[in-house]
Amino acid sequence: ILVLMLMIGGLAVDLMRLETTRTKLQGTMDRAVLAAADLDQTLPPADVVKDYFTKAGMINFLQGEPTVTQGLNYRTVTASAEARIPMLFSNLMSVFDGSDNSGLDSVAIPTSAGATEMVGKVEISLVLDVSGSMDDNNKMVNLRQAANDFVDAVLTTDNQDRVSVSIVPYSEQVNLG
């Protein structure tokens, strides 16, 4: 009965260590990707994730570089980590029965997280000078080309429903027509 109690108690200690590490790792991962995905974040997102793990003392668990995808009005950050926890009491039975059963030496705790921050809809107003001074040196031709290039760059097929562009021409006053 004493051996059985020791085995169950050892298993409970091992499981407690696993769960404590798992929750700390997942909590750090969640906080890191949320902070990195923030559009107001001025630091590079991958550096933010690494800094969170460094300050938590878990930088060795981070696997590879965090993945960052960003566009005009969104940022997505994903990262993964894995901790390998040695099992202290899993081989306890081999001590008593003399077997050479190595048992379970360690358990891997994989975790991953992803976060996206997105601005729902973006409205852009393009104000264009169409006054008489634009007739000199092909300014109007260059303005038309630049305006077309700008609209093509901003309105892509993946964000047409989230971005709107209004064009406001002006000379001495705004022409709403």
Side-chain angles (χ1 to χ4, degrees), residues 59-112:
I59 189 67
N60 294 335
F61 299 147
L62 193 59
Q63 292 188 325
E65 286 288 313
T67 305
V68 179
T69 308
Q70 54 189 21
L72 180 67
N73 60 344
Y74 72 94
R75 180 183 294 158
T76 301
V77 179
T78 59
S80 62
E82 181 176 287
R84 189 156 277 295
I85 305 302
M87 301 297 286
L88 301 176
F89 296 100
S90 67
N91 293 334
L92 191 59
M93 190 60 185
S94 65
V95 171
F96 294 104
D97 67 7
S99 67
D100 192 22
N101 184 7
S102 61
L104 186 62
D105 294 336
S106 64
V107 174
I109 303 171
T111 184
S112 63

Side-chain angles (χ1 to χ4, degrees), residues 117-176:
E117 183 169 354
M118 182 182 300
V119 176
K121 299 209 182 254
V122 176
E123 297 178 12
I124 299 172
S125 295
L126 182 60
V127 181
L128 304 175
D129 181 3
V130 293
S131 66
S133 66
M134 295 297 286
D135 289 336
D136 300 337
N137 296 329
N138 291 330
K139 289 180 185 175
M140 186 60 75
V141 173
N142 293 338
L143 174 72
R144 286 184 181 139
Q145 184 60 45
N148 282 331
D149 291 346
F150 176 78
V151 170
D152 289 341
V154 169
L155 291 179
T156 61
T157 56
D158 62 332
N159 70 359
Q160 278 184 329
D161 58 338
R162 296 188 308 246
V163 177
S164 66
V165 177
S166 59
I167 298 175
V168 181
Y170 77 93
S171 183
E172 291 88 28
Q173 59 189 345
V174 173
N175 179 4
L176 295 178

Side-chain angles (χ1 to χ4, degrees), residues 50-66:
K50 290 177 190 174
D51 188 51
Y52 267 77
F53 273 84
T54 300
K55 290 183 177 163
M58 301 182 121
I59 189 67
N60 294 335
F61 299 147
L62 193 59
Q63 292 188 325
E65 286 288 313

